[in-house]
Amino acid sequence: MNSTLLLVLVSILLLFLLVLGLMLFRERVELQLDQDKILLRYPFSKRLQHLEQDLSSWKIQQAHYLRWGVVYSINMLFSDGRRAAVNSRINPENFESLYKYLNSQYASRREADDVSMPN
C-alpha cells in the first residue's frame, strides 16, 4: 500500500511540474525578421507572417508587476484575425528588434496607446 501511495504522489508531483513548465514557457516566442517576413517560433509550433500583406495593426501595452516591475508587450493584429504578442519579460532582445523594425517600417499601422517607451 505504501508503494502505491508513493507512486501516486510522485505522479501528481511530476504532472504538476509539467503543467507549471508549460505555463511558464508557453509565452516564449522567438522571432526572426527577414526583410518583410517574420517567423514566430512558439514552443510547440511556428508561423510565418508577411508583414506587408498580413499586419493590420500593432500597439504597445504596459503592465506593472510587483515582482518583475514594468513589462512591455507588442501586440500585433493580423488580417486573418489572429494575434501575436512579444513581451519584454521573456525575450528582451526580440522585443527590442521587433519594436525598432515596426516603428521604422509600419509606424502608420500603430494603434494609439498611452505607453511611452523608455530610452
Side-chain angles (χ1 to χ4, degrees):
M1 187 70 170
N2 279 339
S3 63
T4 305
L5 182 61
L6 182 63
L7 182 65
V8 169
L9 288 176
V10 169
S11 299
I12 290 172
L13 179 66
L14 288 176
L15 183 63
F16 175 74
L17 291 175
L18 179 69
V19 168
L20 183 65
L22 288 175
M23 294 302 288
L24 289 176
F25 294 109
R26 70 182 170 93
E27 297 178 3
R28 185 163 181 85
V29 178
E30 293 187 21
L31 61 94
Q32 294 176 342
L33 288 169
D34 182 31
Q35 295 177 351
D36 195 39
K37 298 176 201 165
I38 184 171
L39 178 65
L40 300 166
R41 292 179 187 252
Y42 297 98
F44 302 109
S45 65
K46 59 183 171 180
R47 187 170 74 189
L48 179 67
Q49 295 286 155
H50 298 275
L51 292 177
E52 181 64 38
Q53 301 164 0
D54 297 339
L55 184 66
S56 295
S57 64
W58 67 279
K59 70 178 187 174
I60 302 280
Q61 290 183 323
Q62 179 180 13
H64 297 275
Y65 293 102
L66 291 175
R67 178 170 285 189
W68 300 310
V70 178
V71 176
Y72 296 96
S73 175
I74 297 175
N75 294 311
M76 298 176 285
L77 175 64
F78 297 107
S79 59
D80 60 359
R82 290 184 175 183
R83 291 187 178 270
V86 176
N87 65 43
S88 63
R89 176 176 65 99
I90 295 177
N91 293 351
E93 303 86 22
N94 287 340
F95 178 83
E96 287 294 324
S97 64
L98 181 62
Y99 175 73
K100 288 177 185 175
Y101 183 76
L102 289 175
N103 205 28
S104 66
Q105 299 294 322
Y106 299 104
S108 62
R109 295 185 191 184
R110 183 173 180 177
E111 290 181 17
D113 49 42
D114 299 333
V115 176
S116 61
M117 291 293 296
N119 292 332

